[in-house]
């Protein structure tokens, strides 16, 4: 059995630190001595992955051991990446330490079977043992040759007592999922992915360990789980390792290619066969593996035997991280059956309404062996193929369709926009090219630019006025536009017309547009009775012209209007005579009449605009001007953009056609942020990634807090957005596949040192980045195994960008990237298809990750564990209402204070109760309740395998009732489960009443919306004080609406939880303890929950 919890042990080797967490043992057991009488530390005979990868700072020499004190203090600290589009570049690169990772096994041998794990554990390695008193000790752990016990040394106890019998082990947990880890003062310095716990004994005691790398932790967890699951069976792993279905399939493949039937084939033939099975492998690597295998057998030949072929394929094509996952979800088998796959898809991947037949269909499509397809199991190779398939893509397929409401006013959408569309090079020297329009329209661009000038033979042209060498005939350009206008999207296309033509050629422009576009041109006069622009739905298949318009009160054939030439505006601003008026140009009536919904006007200030601007008029802002306004008047900019369209274009000083950061202006609600499509890079990555959502139609609905007529939102928000529930994004970067060498790298071999940077883009409070360790000299399958947490305050505006970089670069560090809106992420284990610098998908180049998104259950910064722990009522933060200074209105809002606190308490109490259950089940906060029930059901089984609890439906709520004596440790879990059901019940039964009170206060407040100015005047408020009162009113309305929505969503979540718990109990057999009546009653309860759910959706909530 394990050492007693109170026993003293020898602390980790190295000097005694000042920290009280490390203390020397009074009577340490003497270590073995060498011939000279010097102390000799025992060393592992097996090389473990990442000995230094999580504990940087130590020597990399073969005999050097990292200082454990520095190790734990440095463990979770990620160094900043070399270049960033978020942080100040001056803070990067200099003084940055490099962290490295080493191969798991000598000669790049990978873990590909349970016997590999057992062999590793028998050879032993050093693990850090964590005690409840926060002390941490280095111990050398081994598995007995007879596979019956786990031992460690040195120890103060007798050798017979410094062990743990495999038969005593109840569970093996990966991650910091025990009380010891949660309460340890150094928990934040211990990597989640390197921690593991062995739960043993009837009281479920824990042996808590930290491996030097996630790879090593996975080996111990997989190996121990395998041993525990087979503890009642004779273990003949070594003998059976070559009798698996996988080897049977490989032998059949070999025999089919062995035309002579001699059981041997030429190395060239074997290489081609493996490349056919796995096209991503390099020929040189396959040949090297054959030579290694033959060398180990002391033979040298150009022929390959059947066994050598199977061994080479297994070592080359088994991804250890996928193998560990398969063993984990298959309950320690080396294949998945339909039930395993169903639980994986439901609990991990978030797939709903999955059936056994659907799982069997997946197995038939992806399993490579005929035996597996017939018997219905998925082995490691088929499972790998499935994970790499489009079915496991990170992008939610639902968002590849139109999923947003397209009936809102045009001003409520972000619009995919291009700047200087006719360019494919920089704006200084680049010639005009028709392919610029082709590219933009095929990428769902919905706002394109045409700079039209006088051309020869009375034919207008489109050209770069800095380079007139290759003009495009205007007629030809709009013919291409007409052909492709609705190729990628059926929603309206805006033509931003830069008119530099004489009146004569303007009339030619009109003739061409009317003839070619026909009835696609939208020229209906806007209705003065309306207050907002028409919707994208109403404007489907329409082309809208943006440009100058003659005054409607002048019945003239032509007239003067101000020139809206961007270059001229910049020149005017840079000239000494800045105060001079913009120049005027002549405009003919025919061209003026083509402009309907997007009349160009000049911006003066928000006060003028809100008083006199018509909804069909729009302003264009230079990058500098828009940045100034966004910084000085962020709230006003958002309010302005609720009704009017804004266009922001890059500075003309960007002569290289570089791009602005679109996120800065999306945060202010600017709809049309024009991008230089011809210039790839991080900014274009953000733009392209953002418009992948909503079916890639080029229109993305803004968050409601930025659309509602009465709402408060500031682009400079530094924390929680009123009325929006923050979420926590959990990202685990597991591994990479087939990374290419950076294209711009020079004078360097094919070897790279990759690392991954995760960037979060959104409102300023959400912008951050983290990076993984560097994996040294591995481009084929680098294992990172690092987890990160990010708090997202406004999820609807957030994007995540994965960037893979080379840490040992010459000239170029970029390997690949992928940018995706947070709303489009699929949870679970996913492969990310990386894109090249110019945005093309790179074949077979992927990142393997795990994604989870949870509600925030407490305060704290990203990367801190407190994000996932319970927050007490005293420390709870409530969203406060503001005092407007208008008594009649403040009296109404005061009535909402108590319901708002009730709503927050109900939501937080339910979340805290769920977290408690997950913790007691030994599961992380990202686990689903279905996983909790699965874990509970395995514990609550008597000696005759009958469940010791049964599902009992009380008023349609799924309670668990003991059927006999339940151990004390499980009573604690059941008590936490009962509390969770009770808190969920309170929420479900009282949410309607509280929600009604909040809504009533909101409606009562809105009745005074039109009278705010008059009320303020009566109260003596004016100027800034009146503006502040109006702002506070908008804040309060936003809070009331948002908190009401959050309560509604929490009730729906609670109903769904009750349904999932009941389904899980049914599938685990917890309802079968009584009789057939129990099942029938449970099913009736499930129907009642579903009816209640449906009724609520159709009712008040």
């Amino acid at each position: 059995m394990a050492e007693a919890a109170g026993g003293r042990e020898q602390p980790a080797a190295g000097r005694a630190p000042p920290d009280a967490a490390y203390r020397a043992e009074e009577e340490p057991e003497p270590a073995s001595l060498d011939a000279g009488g010097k102390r000799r530390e025992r060393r592992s005979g097996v090389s473990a992955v990442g000995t230094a990868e999580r504990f940087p700072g130590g020597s990399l020499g073969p005999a050097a051991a990292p200082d454990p004190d520095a190790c734990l203090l440095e463990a979770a600290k990620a160094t900043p990446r070399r270049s960033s589009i978020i942080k100040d570049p001056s803070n990067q690169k200099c003084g940055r330490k490099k962290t490295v990772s080493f191969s798991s096994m000598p000669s790049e041998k990978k873990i590909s079977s349970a016997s590999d794990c057992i062999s590793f554990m028998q050879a032993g390695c050093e693990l850090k043992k964590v005690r409840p008193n926060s002390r941490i000790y280095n111990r050398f752990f081994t598995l007995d040759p007879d596979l019956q016990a786990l031992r460690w040394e040195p120890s103060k106890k007798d050798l017979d007592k410094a062990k743990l019998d495999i038969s005593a082990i109840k569970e093996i947990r990966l991650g910091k999922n025990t009380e010891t880890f949660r309460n340890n003062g150094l928990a934040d310095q211990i990597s989640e992915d390197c921690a593991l716990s062995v739960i043993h004994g009837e009281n479920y005691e824990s042996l808590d360990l930290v491996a030097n790398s996630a790879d090593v932790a996975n080996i111990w967890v997989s190996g121990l789980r395998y041993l525990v699951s087979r503890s009642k069976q004779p273990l003949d792993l070594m003998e059976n390792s070559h009798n698996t279905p996988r080897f049977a399939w490989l032998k059949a493949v070999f025999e089919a290619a062995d035309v002579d039937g001699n059981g041997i084939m030429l190395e060239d033939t074997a290489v081609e066969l493996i490349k056919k099975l796995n096209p991503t492998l390099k020929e040189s690597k396959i040949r090297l593996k054959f030579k290694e295998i033959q060398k180990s057998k002391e033979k040298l030949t150009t022929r390959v035997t059947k066994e050598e072929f199977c061994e080479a394929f297994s070592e080359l094509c088994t991804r250890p991280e996928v193998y560990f996952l398969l063993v984990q979800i298959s309950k320690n088998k080396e294949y998945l059956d339909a039930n395993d796959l169903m639980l994986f898809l439901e609990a991990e991947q978030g797939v709903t309404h999955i059936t056994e037949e659907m799982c069997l269909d997946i197995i038939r499509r992806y399993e490579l062996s005929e035996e597996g397809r017939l018997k219905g199991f998925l082995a490691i190779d088929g499972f790998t193929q499935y994970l790499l398939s489009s079915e496991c893509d990170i992008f939610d397929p639902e968002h590849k369709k139109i999923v947003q409401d397209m009936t809102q006013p045009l001003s409520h959408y972000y619009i995919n926009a291009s700047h200087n569309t006719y360019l494919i090079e920089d704006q200084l020297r680049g010639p005009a090219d028709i392919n610029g329009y082709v590219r933009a329209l095929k990428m769902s661009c919905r706002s394109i630019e045409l700079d039209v000038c006088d051309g020869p033979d009375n034919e207008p042209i489109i050209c770069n006025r800095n380079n007139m060498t290759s003009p495009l005939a205007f007629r030809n350009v709009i013919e291409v536009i007409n052909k492709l206008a609705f190729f990628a999207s059926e929603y309206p296309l805006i033509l931003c017309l830069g008119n530099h033509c004489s009146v004569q050629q303007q009339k030619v422009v009109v003739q061409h547009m009317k003839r070619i576009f026909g009835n696609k041109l939208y020229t209906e006069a806007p209705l003065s009775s309306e207050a907002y622009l028409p919707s994208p739905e109403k404007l489907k298949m329409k082309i809208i012209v943006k440009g100058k318009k003659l005054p409607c009160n002048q019945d003239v054939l032509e007239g003067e209007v101000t020139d809206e030439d961007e270059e001229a505006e910049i020149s005017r601003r840079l000239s000494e005579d800045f105060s001079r008026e913009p120049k005027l140009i002549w405009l003919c009536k025919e061209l003026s009449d083509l402009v309907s919904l997007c009349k160009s006007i000049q911006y003066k200030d928000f006060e003028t605009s809100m008083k006199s601007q018509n909804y069909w008029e729009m302003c264009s802002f230079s990058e500098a001007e828009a940045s100034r306004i966004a910084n000085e008047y962020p709230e006003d900019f958002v309010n302005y953009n609720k009704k009017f369209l804004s266009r922001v274009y890059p500075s003309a000083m960007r002569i290289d056609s570089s791009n602005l950061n679109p996120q800065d202006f999306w945060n202010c609600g600017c709809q049309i942020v024009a991008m230089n499509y011809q210039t790839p890079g991080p900014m274009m990555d953000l733009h392209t990634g953002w418009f992948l959502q909503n079916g890639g139609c080029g229109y993305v609905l803004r968050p409601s807090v930025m659309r509602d007529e009465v709402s408060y939102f500031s682009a400079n928000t530094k924390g929680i957005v009123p009325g929006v529930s923050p979420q926590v994004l959990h990202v685990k970067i597991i591994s990479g596949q087939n990374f290419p060498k950076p294209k711009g790298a020079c004078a360097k071999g094919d070897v790279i040192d990759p690392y991954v940077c995760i960037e979060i883009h959104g409102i300023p409070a959400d912008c951050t980045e983290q990076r993984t360790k560097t994996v040294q000299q591995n481009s084929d399958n680098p294992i990172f195994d690092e987890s990160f947490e990010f708090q997202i305050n406004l999820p609807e505006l957030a994007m995540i960008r994965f960037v893979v970089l080379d840490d040992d670069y010459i000239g170029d560090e970029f390997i690949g990237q992928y940018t995706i809106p947070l709303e489009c992420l699929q949870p679970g284990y996913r492969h990310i298809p990386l894109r090249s610098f110019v945005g093309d998908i790179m074949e077979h180049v992927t990142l393997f990750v795990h994604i989870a998104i949870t509600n925030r259950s407490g305060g704290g910064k990203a990367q801190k564990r407190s994000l996932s722990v319970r927050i007490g009522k005293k420390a709870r933060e409530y969203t406060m209402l503001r005092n407007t200074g208008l008594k009649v209105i403040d009296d109404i809002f005061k009535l909402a204070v108590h319901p708002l606190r009730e709503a927050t308490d109900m939501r937080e109490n339910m979340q805290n109760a769920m977290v408690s259950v997950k913790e007691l089940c030994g599961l992380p906060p990202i686990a689903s309740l279905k996983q909790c029930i699965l874990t509970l059901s395995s514990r609550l089984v008597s000696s005759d395998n009958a469940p010791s609890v049964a599902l009992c439906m009380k008023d349609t709520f799924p309670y668990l009732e003991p059927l006999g004596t339940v151990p004390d440790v499980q009573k604690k879990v059941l008590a936490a489960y009962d509390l969770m059901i009770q808190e969920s019940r309170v929420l479900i039964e009282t949410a309607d009443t509280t929600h009604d009170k909040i809504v009533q206060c909101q409606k009562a407040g809105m009745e005074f919306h039109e009278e705010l100015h008059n009320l303020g005047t009566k109260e003596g408020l004016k100027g800034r004080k009146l503006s502040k009162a109006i702002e506070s009113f908008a804040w309060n309305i936003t809070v009331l609406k948002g908190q009401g929505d959050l309560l509604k969503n929490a009730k729906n979540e609670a109903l769904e939880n009750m349904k999932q718990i009941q389904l899980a109990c049914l599938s685990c057999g917890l309802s079968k303890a009584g009789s057939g009546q129990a099942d029938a009653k449970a099913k009736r309860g499930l129907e009642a929950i579903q009816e209640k759910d449906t009724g609520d959706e159709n009712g008040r909530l």
Side-chain angles (χ1 to χ4, degrees), residues 272 842 908 1040:
E272 287 303 315
M842 297 185 285
E908 292 285 352
L1040 291 172

Side-chain angles (χ1 to χ4, degrees), residues 353-400:
H353 311 300
I354 194 78
T355 64
E356 185 177 359
E357 183 52 43
M358 291 164 69
C359 294
L360 288 171
D361 179 63
I362 290 172
I363 291 171
R364 285 191 288 267
R365 286 187 287 118
Y366 291 100
E367 173 54 29
L368 300 179
S369 70
E370 186 177 352
E371 180 187 2
R373 290 193 294 271
L374 291 173
K375 293 183 177 179
F377 63 75
L378 196 61
I380 179 68
D381 301 295
F383 185 51
T384 304
Q385 292 298 315
Y386 172 65
L387 290 175
L388 281 165
S389 72
S390 58
E391 295 183 54
C392 289
D393 191 77
I394 193 170
F395 195 95
D396 188 343
E398 281 299 305
H399 289 271
K400 293 182 179 179

Side-chain angles (χ1 to χ4, degrees), residues 617-906:
E617 295 173 334
M618 64 177 288
C619 297
S620 290
F621 299 87
S622 68
E623 178 185 346
E625 186 178 26
S627 296
R628 178 186 63 79
I629 296 171
N631 287 325
E632 295 178 7
Y633 312 105
E635 299 92 345
D636 293 336
F637 213 171
V638 171
N639 286 330
Y640 172 84
N641 287 321
K642 291 175 183 178
K643 186 172 183 179
F644 308 112
L645 287 176
S646 290
R647 173 177 166 270
V648 180
Y649 57 88
S651 167
M653 306 303 287
R654 294 181 180 272
I655 57 174
D656 59 349
S657 290
S658 57
N659 275 306
L660 48 74
N661 187 342
Q663 191 78 52
D664 294 340
F665 306 105
W666 291 335
N667 289 345
C668 297
C670 297
Q671 301 88 349
I672 303 174
V673 182
M675 303 292 288
N676 290 310
Y677 268 57
Q678 73 273 26
T679 308
M683 304 309 163
M684 199 61 203
D685 293 341
L686 293 181
H687 181 270
T688 304
W690 182 248
F691 286 104
L692 289 175
Q693 62 185 311
N694 201 27
C697 73
Y699 284 83
V700 173
L701 189 64
R702 298 211 311 266
S704 61
V705 75
M706 301 174 74
R707 302 191 317 262
D708 294 340
E709 183 181 1
V710 181
S711 63
Y712 176 86
F713 177 75
S714 171
N716 293 337
T717 297
K718 294 292 190 292
I720 293 175
V721 178
V724 177
S725 178
Q727 293 181 340
V728 179
L729 171 65
H730 307 258
V731 180
K732 183 175 183 179
I733 305 293
I734 302 172
S735 64
Q737 290 75 46
N738 310 304
F739 290 163
K741 173 184 169 184
K743 285 207 168 176
C746 56
K748 185 185 174 188
D750 290 332
V751 177
I752 60 172
D753 298 344
Y755 67 98
V756 182
C757 188
I758 306 136
E759 302 171 348
I760 305 296
H761 297 266
I763 60 173
D766 292 341
C767 290
T768 186
E769 66 177 356
Q770 295 287 343
R771 59 154 288 177
T772 67
K773 66 178 179 287
T774 297
V775 176
Q776 193 179 55
Q777 299 186 7
N778 190 337
S779 61
D780 297 332
N781 191 35
I783 305 293
F784 300 101
D785 259 328
E786 287 194 71
S787 298
F788 304 91
E789 285 182 3
F790 303 94
Q791 180 170 308
I792 311 295
N793 293 289
L794 186 55
E796 288 177 274
L797 263 188
M799 276 191 291
I800 179 169
R801 183 171 181 257
F802 301 90
V803 195
V804 183
L805 301 164
D806 183 2
D807 209 3
D808 187 23
Y809 71 101
I810 301 175
D812 182 17
E813 63 179 340
F814 181 85
I815 295 172
Q817 70 83 32
Y818 187 80
T819 307
I820 180 173
L822 185 77
E823 299 277 289
C824 298
L825 285 174
Q826 284 210 97
Y829 290 91
R830 305 289 170 185
H831 278 92
I832 300 174
L834 293 180
R835 294 178 179 264
S836 67
F837 184 74
V838 295
D840 297 330
I841 293 287
M842 297 185 285
E843 192 176 17
H844 304 308
V845 181
T846 55
L847 258 185
F848 187 40
V849 301
H850 182 269
I851 300 289
I853 299 175
T854 60
N855 293 327
R856 185 178 72 100
S857 298
K861 296 180 180 178
Q863 282 294 100
K864 296 295 182 183
R865 191 166 178 78
S866 56
L867 279 171
S868 314
V869 300
R870 297 177 301 280
I871 183 165
K873 207 166 185 178
K874 290 183 179 177
R876 191 168 290 167
E877 293 180 8
Y878 297 94
T879 306
M880 304 302 292
L881 296 175
R882 293 179 178 178
N883 196 326
T884 65
L886 305 173
K887 186 176 184 306
V888 64
I889 294 176
D890 288 337
D891 287 345
I892 291 171
F893 287 140
K894 282 177 185 175
L895 297 174
V897 172
H898 185 65
L900 286 175
R901 290 181 71 89
E902 278 186 343
T904 302
D905 286 341
M906 284 190 288

Side-chain angles (χ1 to χ4, degrees), residues 496-737:
C496 298
L497 200 61
N499 172 30
H500 313 292
C501 292
S502 62
V503 169
Q504 183 181 359
Q505 292 210 14
Q506 287 177 32
K507 294 178 179 179
V508 179
V509 167
V510 174
Q511 291 169 9
H512 287 325
M513 291 178 79
K514 285 185 173 180
R515 178 178 59 81
I516 293 171
F517 291 147
N519 60 7
K520 293 177 187 173
L521 266 180
Y522 187 89
T523 56
E524 293 179 26
L527 300 174
S528 55
S529 59
E530 297 287 338
Y532 286 92
L533 289 163
S535 68
E537 185 67 31
K538 188 175 180 181
L539 296 170
K540 263 185 181 178
M541 308 298 288
K542 291 296 182 184
I543 294 175
I544 301 166
V545 178
K546 170 199 166 290
K548 285 292 181 177
K549 195 168 177 64
L550 293 171
C552 57
N553 56 359
Q554 295 181 12
D555 188 16
V556 293
L557 295 179
E558 56 189 56
E560 284 187 316
V561 294
T562 55
D563 185 10
E564 203 187 58
D565 179 10
E566 293 171 13
E567 287 78 6
E569 174 69 10
I570 292 295
S571 300
R572 185 176 72 86
R573 287 176 175 273
L574 293 177
S575 69
E576 294 181 4
D577 189 13
F578 176 74
S579 60
R580 75 179 183 189
E581 291 297 315
K583 69 176 183 177
L584 300 176
I585 60 169
W586 283 93
L587 179 67
C588 73
K589 185 176 186 302
E590 292 89 340
L591 187 55
S592 173
D593 288 345
L594 290 186
V595 178
S596 171
L597 296 178
C598 293
K599 175 188 174 183
S600 295
I601 63 168
Q602 280 197 312
Y603 168 79
K604 185 179 179 184
D605 56 56
F606 287 130
E607 187 177 356
T608 304
S609 296
M610 299 306 279
K611 284 180 181 177
S612 59
Q613 186 172 334
N614 295 306
Y615 71 83
W616 61 83
E617 295 173 334
M618 64 177 288
C619 297
S620 290
F621 299 87
S622 68
E623 178 185 346
E625 186 178 26
S627 296
R628 178 186 63 79
I629 296 171
N631 287 325
E632 295 178 7
Y633 312 105
E635 299 92 345
D636 293 336
F637 213 171
V638 171
N639 286 330
Y640 172 84
N641 287 321
K642 291 175 183 178
K643 186 172 183 179
F644 308 112
L645 287 176
S646 290
R647 173 177 166 270
V648 180
Y649 57 88
S651 167
M653 306 303 287
R654 294 181 180 272
I655 57 174
D656 59 349
S657 290
S658 57
N659 275 306
L660 48 74
N661 187 342
Q663 191 78 52
D664 294 340
F665 306 105
W666 291 335
N667 289 345
C668 297
C670 297
Q671 301 88 349
I672 303 174
V673 182
M675 303 292 288
N676 290 310
Y677 268 57
Q678 73 273 26
T679 308
M683 304 309 163
M684 199 61 203
D685 293 341
L686 293 181
H687 181 270
T688 304
W690 182 248
F691 286 104
L692 289 175
Q693 62 185 311
N694 201 27
C697 73
Y699 284 83
V700 173
L701 189 64
R702 298 211 311 266
S704 61
V705 75
M706 301 174 74
R707 302 191 317 262
D708 294 340
E709 183 181 1
V710 181
S711 63
Y712 176 86
F713 177 75
S714 171
N716 293 337
T717 297
K718 294 292 190 292
I720 293 175
V721 178
V724 177
S725 178
Q727 293 181 340
V728 179
L729 171 65
H730 307 258
V731 180
K732 183 175 183 179
I733 305 293
I734 302 172
S735 64
Q737 290 75 46

Side-chain angles (χ1 to χ4, degrees), residues 3 121 124-125 127 139-146 148-153 158-166 207 220:
E3 296 178 36
M121 292 159 63
C125 75
L127 301 172
R139 292 289 176 264
F140 193 90
F141 281 77
T142 55
L143 177 67
D144 276 357
D146 62 2
Q148 296 303 308
L150 184 64
R151 297 182 185 272
W152 56 90
E153 61 177 44
D158 296 337
L159 289 177
D160 288 342
K161 293 185 178 179
K163 71 170 186 174
L164 178 61
D165 292 333
I166 299 299
L207 172 62
W220 282 96

